[in-house]
Amino acid sequence: MSENALVNVARFLPEQARLNPRLPAVRVPVGRRRGAVLYEERSFAELDRESDACARLLRERGISRGTRTLLMVRPGLELILCTFALFKVGAVPVVIDPGMGLQGFLACVRRTEPEALLGIPLAQRLAALFRGTFRSVGTRVAVGDRSFRESLAHQMLAGGGPEMARTQADDLAAILFTSGSTGAPKGVCYEHGMFEAQVRLLRQLYGIRPGEVDLPMLPVFALFNPALGMLTVVPKMNPSRPAKADPWEIVQAIRQNGVTNSFGSPVLWRKIADYCERRRITLPTLRRILMAGASVPPSLVRRFRSIAPGAEVHTPYGATECLPLTSIPGSSLLGEVEALSRAGKGSCVGRPAEGIELRVVQVVDGPLPQYDPLLDVPQGEIGEIAACGPVVTREYDRLPEATAAAKMLDAQGRTWHRMGDLGYLDESGRLWFCGRKVERVVLPAGDGHPEQVFYTDCCEAIFNAHPDVARSALIAIRKNGVRAPAIAIEPLPGKFPRGVRARADFIEELSVLGQQHPHTQGIHTFVFEKAFPVDVRHNAKIHRLALGRKHSGKG
């Protein structure tokens, strides 16, 4: 590739428009008739022309190459149009998860200082209400109202050539915010070359072919579909509350559109499995089910063998800062791997994707500016997971301290991202996830005892085996000034212990389970929750730190 070669993920859309002009690119639900969902549809050629028109409109309004543009548009056709239009003009979309709450959202806006706002009327009213927070915004374009649609139609009639800024691999492409599930949300700086690498890796990992049909239950994944030649069927659900989605809507969309590929959290797929099993529904068109956002229980994989007999479940591993790093097919989670996970050996997330290098380094809470092979821990020993490769981002937006804490440079000048996850590599090169670094519980050495470290995935697997447990959470509690590990239990529906005797019996059964394994013998405290607090993006990651504060009497 030449030094000045065009690198822009939006270029895949005109390529698909040229190769498959009549192939449908996107379907958006617009109503119902006689039990069927009605959709508005665009072909790849139509989507490419409309995004060109949108790009010309944005440029006329003052949004051009390098403009930081806060994108506040609901999932659907207009989100896809606007995103590709921004890439085509070389602007930098800023995407913040609205589910994090108003104060968190506003804090992200203040730090990022967007120069333009491209958003629905509600977003425009929010910007007017919080003028101080949005003071950096000089250009505002309302999306979804009649004026926007008329302006877009005018651009379509006026015509014009294709739009594509001559961006290069290391140009800033977008700022995508982390969910903030274990800390403050951070803006991740993505370069155009990183997005193109993600498209290549996703195609290689999963054998995705043009003409497939995708139902993305996390909106950001829809943005890669035009590059992969897949039809995007927009699901009818609130993306900020995926666990609240109506499984009927999801199942109906899969069956009506012949969906072959779909991404969602394990929590959402469990709801879909419950719905299908109650009604004896199968989903024969599915070829590929992607589950991520939390560890995937083998039992859930097994359920989809009968619900979607032609599909393979895949679990990709990564983070907003670098995705995908590894992936493991569901069939590999069964048998030996399942037995090891149940025994508390962690969750196997597979082998590195092509071009990805993984290391497990010593657990250090402070910055590690330089990566040195001497930091590597022996095979099979738990440490912090670090990754290097074409999808690994280099920095956070305007957060030099966070960048220093998460990034390392090696002797070749390559960036390594410290995942903040703990795990190990086994003898066959598979990566095992054991939990988040900040959620481990460490008891320092003293009184003749060595240091003890408790890891979330390893400990929780033991107590999840109880037949009345929906899920468990390792937490640190502090009572009378003494720090100790504890397990919070979310019982299955109808199994919450009522009364002192029932509670004592439940705790006794949990204690017996814990004493059977060396790594859980030091856990003696159990607390109960009707529902765990979870992250906003997947509704699957448990807020263990919040649970620990609550049961330490701190909130």
Side-chain angles (χ1 to χ4, degrees):
M1 186 178 291
S2 67
E3 185 176 338
N4 296 315
L6 168 66
V7 181
N8 189 319
V9 73
R11 71 180 176 84
F12 290 106
L13 180 55
E15 282 184 15
Q16 290 297 334
R18 185 179 70 254
L19 295 171
N20 303 294
R22 294 183 179 84
L23 207 63
V26 60
R27 286 182 189 147
V28 182
V30 292
R32 283 199 186 89
R33 180 185 297 161
R34 296 175 184 174
V37 178
L38 301 177
Y39 288 93
E40 181 181 5
E41 183 177 286
R42 296 289 189 277
S43 69
F44 280 105
E46 291 168 335
L47 185 63
D48 186 41
R49 286 195 297 271
E50 283 192 49
S51 65
D52 278 341
C54 188
R56 290 192 289 273
L57 173 62
L58 297 183
R59 188 176 283 113
E60 281 187 2
R61 302 286 179 88
I63 298 176
S64 59
R65 185 166 179 171
T67 305
R68 288 176 171 236
T69 306
L70 181 59
L71 186 59
M72 297 179 67
V73 181
R74 291 191 180 97
L77 176 60
E78 287 173 336
L79 174 62
I80 295 172
L81 273 179
C82 290
T83 302
F84 273 86
L86 288 169
F87 285 148
K88 284 183 174 184
V89 301
V92 180
V94 177
V95 181
I96 306 172
D97 197 326
M100 69 176 60
L102 179 61
Q103 293 308 313
F105 181 88
L106 294 175
C108 293
V109 173
R110 283 192 294 272
R111 187 165 66 247
T112 306
E113 295 185 309
E115 302 160 278
L117 169 61
L118 183 58
I120 59 175
L122 178 61
Q124 305 295 337
R125 291 195 292 274
L126 184 71
L129 183 62
F130 295 96
R131 290 186 180 87
T133 296
F134 288 82
R135 63 182 178 275
S136 61
V137 175
T139 302
R140 305 184 187 209
V141 180
V143 176
D145 60 7
R146 190 170 77 174
S147 174
F148 176 79
R149 288 190 286 269
E150 289 176 350
S151 297
L152 191 60
H154 173 75
Q155 289 290 342
M156 291 285 291
L157 288 172
E163 297 281 343
M164 192 67 63
R166 299 294 303 181
T167 53
Q168 298 177 39
D170 58 357
D171 284 345
L172 183 62
I175 299 170
L176 309 181
F177 272 79
T178 63
S179 65
S181 57
T182 54
K186 298 181 286 290
V188 179
C189 294
Y190 263 89
E191 299 167 7
H192 280 280
M194 295 166 184
F195 277 140
E196 289 216 0
Q198 283 184 319
V199 171
R200 290 194 302 271
L201 274 185
L202 289 170
R203 186 183 287 124
Q204 291 168 3
L205 275 173
Y206 303 119
I208 295 171
R209 300 172 185 270
E212 289 203 46
V213 183
D214 182 46
L215 186 78
M217 292 183 281
L218 186 65
V220 69
F221 276 79
L223 303 179
F224 289 114
N225 286 345
L228 294 165
M230 279 201 293
L231 162 61
T232 298
V233 178
V234 176
K236 190 173 182 183
M237 60 184 286
N238 181 350
S240 66
R241 293 290 182 269
K244 301 292 185 183
D246 183 347
W248 182 90
E249 298 281 3
I250 304 301
V251 170
Q252 173 76 0
I254 292 172
R255 299 176 80 186
Q256 186 175 329
N257 293 280
V259 168
T260 62
N261 185 88
S262 187
F263 176 96
S265 75
V267 171
L268 186 46
W269 283 113
R270 188 178 294 110
K271 287 188 69 171
I272 295 167
D274 291 343
Y275 179 86
C276 289
E277 287 171 347
R278 284 196 302 268
R279 290 160 178 78
R280 299 182 179 179
I281 292 172
T282 60
L283 305 172
T285 65
L286 280 173
R287 302 178 198 167
R288 197 180 301 105
I289 298 172
L290 303 181
M291 298 186 191
S295 297
V296 177
S299 59
L300 185 58
V301 173
R302 194 171 284 108
R303 294 171 74 184
F304 273 96
R305 287 187 152 186
S306 55
I307 296 170
E312 177 68 279
V313 173
H314 295 271
T315 302
Y317 168 74
T320 307
E321 295 90 341
C322 43
L323 182 75
L325 296 178
T326 71
S327 185
I328 186 168
S331 54
S332 297
L333 290 175
L334 306 178
E336 173 224 3
V337 168
E338 180 178 12
L340 290 171
S341 294
R342 284 184 172 178
K345 298 298 183 182
S347 300
C348 186
V349 294
R351 294 180 175 85
E354 184 176 334
I356 300 298
E357 296 180 51
L358 296 177
R359 299 288 186 273
V360 178
V361 301
Q362 299 167 25
V363 179
V364 177
D365 288 323
L368 287 171
Q370 297 292 323
Y371 166 72
D372 188 310
L374 294 175
L375 291 169
D376 295 352
V377 302
Q379 176 191 297
E381 185 175 313
I382 296 175
E384 183 175 7
I385 301 165
C388 180
V391 299
V392 175
T393 56
R394 305 178 205 274
E395 62 181 354
Y396 296 109
D397 182 53
R398 300 178 179 181
L399 288 171
E401 291 184 0
T403 298
K407 309 294 181 180
M408 304 182 290
L409 293 178
D410 64 14
Q412 290 77 45
R414 301 180 305 169
T415 299
W416 289 78
H417 178 69
R418 298 168 64 189
M419 295 293 291
D421 291 341
L422 302 176
Y424 61 94
L425 290 164
D426 67 14
E427 65 281 355
S428 65
R430 297 177 302 189
L431 181 66
W432 292 73
F433 171 83
C434 296
R436 293 287 292 167
K437 182 169 67 173
V438 297
E439 293 175 338
R440 75 193 192 282
V441 179
V442 181
L443 300 185
D447 297 328
H449 298 289
E451 179 184 82
Q452 288 182 280
V453 184
F454 300 84
Y455 304 101
T456 56
D457 262 44
C458 302
C459 294
E460 292 164 8
I462 304 305
F463 301 102
N464 288 342
H466 190 288
D468 293 343
V469 171
R471 53 185 172 177
S472 62
L474 173 72
I475 60 175
I477 62 170
R478 189 174 294 276
K479 297 292 185 181
N480 301 319
V482 178
R483 180 179 172 86
I487 292 290
I489 297 292
E490 182 184 308
L492 287 167
K495 299 297 183 178
F496 196 91
R498 304 291 179 183
V500 175
R501 180 62 182 270
R503 188 183 187 91
D505 289 346
F506 204 151
I507 289 175
E508 176 60 25
E509 293 169 4
L510 293 167
S511 297
V512 169
L513 278 176
Q515 293 308 303
Q516 294 173 8
H517 301 271
H519 66 285
T520 52
Q521 287 177 354
I523 300 174
H524 306 290
T525 301
F526 299 90
V527 297
F528 296 91
E529 291 282 334
K530 291 183 178 178
F532 286 161
V534 293
D535 69 295
V536 297
R537 181 162 296 171
H538 301 287
N539 289 180
K541 295 177 182 175
I542 302 166
H543 283 305
R544 296 174 179 86
L545 301 181
L547 280 172
R549 289 192 295 270
K550 174 181 177 180
H551 290 284
S552 294
K554 296 182 179 179

